[in-house]
Amino acid sequence: MDVVEIDGLRLAFRRAGNGPAVVFVHGGAEDGRAWTPQLDALSDEFTVIAWDEPGAGGSGDVPAGFALSDYADHLAGLIRALAISPCTLVGLSWGVTVILELYRRHPSVARSLVLADGYAGWRGSLGPDEADARLAGLRNQPEGSFDPTLPGLFAGPPPAKFVPLLEAMAADARRHSMLTALTAMTHADLTDVLGTIQVPTQLIWGALDARSPLSVAHEFERQIQGATLAVIPDCGHVSNLEDPQAFNDILREFLRRHAA
């Protein structure tokens, strides 16, 4: 783990490999370990960096009043501190929402985008009723009860080889930090950002994603000029862990064309 300080906040990240820079942005209630199979596979050809967002993993706790704009600003700060701007950004789920806000506020740091199983915020992609219901469900969970194999995250049972990883991330999740991030996701509507994206964009979706259904993917594809959608069969929401080989193949092909 490496560490930098951005605006007084400790940010931890994993870095491996050499070549064009690719920054991975994890989903909610996760940390940079969620990208382990991607970092392992792609470090032979690229400089791969996975941050622990504020409040996750080895990073410092989120300050009071931390908002979606703060996640985006700290991610941009990390990219600039590492002198890798512009770079490719890869996000999954909540990570897509963070990337879209980053693109709104700091478009110059993005060379290209890979958006997987994500949202333009829950409000933007799912509507206010579903967004509010999801947040209420999370708030009603008792401390320490988050289930990393939550129904809907995978098309079937979670991959056995990654269950220890999922459990380790869930055990380290901080309730306040998780609720801060997912409250930001609940209220976010970034649909207006989609039409402003002017960099190469790859969409990756699990065909059986129940959390962010394919209708969301098709709306992204419709609104982002030139975006290409790749759908992974028999795969749910956490597509990078459910079928890492297919995910990595799609990602590598895109990066070879657009990461440098």
Side-chain angles (χ1 to χ4, degrees), residues 58-72:
S59 292
D61 290 333
V62 289
F66 208 73
L68 177 58
S69 58
D70 296 305
Y71 289 98

Side-chain angles (χ1 to χ4, degrees), residues 6-32:
I6 304 295
D7 294 334
L9 183 62
R10 167 192 169 99
L11 289 182
F13 61 96
R14 293 159 180 80
R15 180 173 185 161
N18 291 288
V22 184
V23 174
F24 292 84
V25 187
H26 60 79
E30 295 182 340
D31 57 49

Side-chain angles (χ1 to χ4, degrees), residues 146-169:
F146 178 72
D147 181 3
T149 62
L150 179 74
L153 291 182
F154 298 95
K161 68 181 292 186
F162 293 123
V163 167
L165 172 63
L166 292 163
E167 291 177 340
M169 288 191 293

